[in-house]
Amino acid sequence: MRRAAPYLVAMSLAAGSAAATDAEQLARDASDWLLSGQGLPRDYRVLLLQMDSADRLLAIAYLRRVGLLTDRPWTVEDVLRPAQPQTELAK
């Protein structure tokens, strides 16, 4: 995992500052959930699917690292899927 960290940071920087804000915001929210004893919200998969794939990968790695993501694994197709707007996910 230590070898992958520079690549994840590079992917985040390449994705742009607007997308990185999504992953950073989710990390802040996840830290708050963890510190308050909460788990992930029920719609966390929908939230992650709305992110760019690079940010989604960073978010998944962070959630697993802090111990919040313990349920079913993400498939490679789901991790690499392009960001989907809310309307597409509701169908």
Side-chain angles (χ1 to χ4, degrees):
M1 184 64 178
R2 289 185 188 263
R3 284 193 224 169
Y7 298 113
L8 294 175
V9 171
M11 286 178 11
S12 174
L13 293 175
S17 61
T21 305
D22 291 339
E24 291 171 4
Q25 182 61 46
L26 183 81
R28 284 192 293 274
D29 292 344
S31 296
D32 292 341
W33 299 329
L34 185 65
L35 293 173
S36 67
Q38 299 175 11
L40 289 172
R42 297 187 109 181
D43 65 341
Y44 82 92
R45 288 183 82 84
V46 173
L47 294 172
L48 291 177
L49 287 171
Q50 292 173 350
M51 294 180 176
D52 290 332
S53 59
D55 288 326
R56 188 178 311 131
L57 180 61
L58 287 171
I60 290 169
Y62 181 78
L63 292 173
R64 287 196 51 86
R65 186 174 184 196
V66 299
L68 288 175
L69 188 60
T70 57
D71 64 344
R72 63 187 175 138
W74 282 73
T75 63
V76 173
E77 291 82 16
D78 284 343
V79 172
L80 298 178
R81 180 181 298 175
Q84 299 175 342
Q86 180 68 27
T87 56
E88 282 186 35
L89 294 172
K91 292 181 182 180

